[in-house]
Amino acid sequence: MTFWKTVLLEWDWEPSIIAGCAALLIGYAAASRLRFKGIAAYFIAGVVVMFLALVSPLDTMADNYLFSAHMFQHLLLSQVVPPLLLLGIPAAWWERVLRWQAPATAERFLRKPVIAWLCGIVALWIWHWPRLFDLALRNENVHIFQHLCFMVTGCVFWWPVVSPLPGHRMTTFPAVFYLFTACTVSSLLGIFITFASAQLYPFYASGADPFGILAPLRSRISLHQDQQFGGLLMWLPCCLIYATAILITLGRWHASEEQYGEASIGQVPARS
């Protein structure tokens, strides 16, 4: 009980994270003038997931003890939070923002599929390079930048797929290819980490034990098992997210095709 009590009670109430999440919710409420639409649930869910990923015991375990916890945290920040935030913002808000030349120019460049894909996938690979990963754990400023990088590049990656502006989304089959290749390349990273024989992330072998739970933790999961589990998280759940997006994209396409077919059948031939 002491072990689990310690783990579950170690919340990191970082003021900047609390203020940032509160600012997002207050800004959303102000922009909508407290007239929330159904899609607001997506935005609120995105902020809640972000908050839990960064202040809950998951953050404590990720920063001090478990590579797998850190991998799960990165998965939430890069693959779950960004699409939820984007899905929760009304199209009319984006249209107003894109009336300004600077954001419109940036958006036209970043929504190019090749650019958006590279932003998301390259960031994922670079930040899991062992030396850079270790540096982020040892330097708080680098760590903060890492988390921001995951969320920003995640938004760029998901924009061509879930943009609130229909005209800015990819068509069905290019979107499927876009997501399938992302799944494949993310899987390669997960496979590499899972089957690596060496300890890739030495920080977790340093023996640091700020909360006095290292001994009981290591009796439950070894360093190598932890690394394998982290690799599996990158490999399977990450691909499951992409696969779900593919199925939703195909489902929307099928529904639109059926609707178009029904409309065509229901048309009355014009009189000559």
Side-chain angles (χ1 to χ4, degrees):
M1 288 298 294
T2 302
F3 170 76
W4 287 112
K5 281 183 178 179
T6 302
V7 171
L8 295 176
L9 293 176
E10 287 302 332
W11 288 67
D12 182 14
W13 300 106
E14 172 60 42
S16 62
I17 295 171
I18 297 170
C21 291
L24 285 173
L25 293 175
I26 293 170
Y28 191 94
S32 62
R33 298 178 182 176
L34 298 179
R35 297 174 183 174
F36 299 111
K37 297 181 179 179
I39 62 171
Y42 289 115
F43 189 89
I44 294 170
V47 175
V48 169
V49 172
M50 183 196 310
F51 179 80
L52 292 176
L54 295 174
V55 305
S56 75
L58 173 64
D59 184 65
T60 299
M61 298 303 290
D63 288 356
N64 299 283
Y65 296 104
L66 290 174
F67 168 73
S68 54
H70 214 150
M71 186 66 83
F72 184 58
Q73 184 185 52
H74 290 176
L75 186 66
L76 293 176
L77 294 176
S78 63
Q79 306 299 330
V80 178
V81 171
L84 286 174
L85 294 179
L86 293 178
L87 287 169
I89 300 179
W93 295 9
W94 288 113
E95 289 172 350
R96 288 198 292 270
V97 170
L98 296 179
R99 289 173 188 167
W100 297 82
Q101 184 175 357
T105 301
E107 191 270 347
R108 280 195 300 271
F109 175 74
L110 292 174
R111 71 178 157 95
K112 293 177 180 179
V114 173
I115 300 298
W117 191 94
L118 287 173
C119 280
I121 300 303
V122 171
L124 205 62
W125 272 79
I126 285 178
W127 280 113
H128 289 96
W129 179 43
R131 288 190 179 181
L132 199 55
F133 192 95
D134 190 68
L135 176 63
L137 284 168
R138 298 180 188 279
N139 187 305
E140 184 62 21
N141 291 329
V142 176
H143 203 178
I144 292 170
F145 178 73
Q146 180 193 56
H147 287 169
L148 289 173
C149 186
F150 277 132
M151 288 187 280
V152 171
T153 58
C155 286
V156 173
F157 174 87
W158 284 101
W159 179 267
V161 180
V162 300
S163 170
L165 304 172
H168 293 194
R169 296 178 202 150
M170 300 172 67
T171 54
T172 300
F173 294 104
V176 169
F177 179 75
Y178 180 92
L179 293 165
F180 176 78
T181 53
C183 174
T184 302
V185 176
S186 298
S187 293
L188 290 175
L189 175 60
I191 290 169
F192 171 73
I193 294 171
T194 301
F195 292 103
S197 57
Q199 183 64 37
L200 296 178
Y201 303 98
F203 175 86
Y204 295 103
S206 64
D209 189 15
F211 300 103
I213 61 171
L214 187 61
L217 179 64
R218 288 290 168 246
S219 69
R220 291 166 168 82
I221 180 170
S222 69
L223 284 167
H224 191 60
Q225 289 171 333
D226 178 37
Q227 183 173 297
Q228 289 178 319
F229 187 45
L232 286 171
L233 285 172
M234 174 60 68
W235 182 2
L236 300 177
C238 190
C239 256
L240 182 60
I241 293 171
Y242 294 131
T244 302
I246 288 173
L247 291 175
I248 292 172
T249 300
L250 290 173
R252 286 178 175 174
W253 170 77
H254 181 68
S256 65
E257 287 292 301
E258 281 192 340
Q259 186 177 10
Y260 176 77
E262 290 173 0
S264 299
I265 293 171
Q267 285 180 353
V268 178
R271 293 182 181 179
S272 55

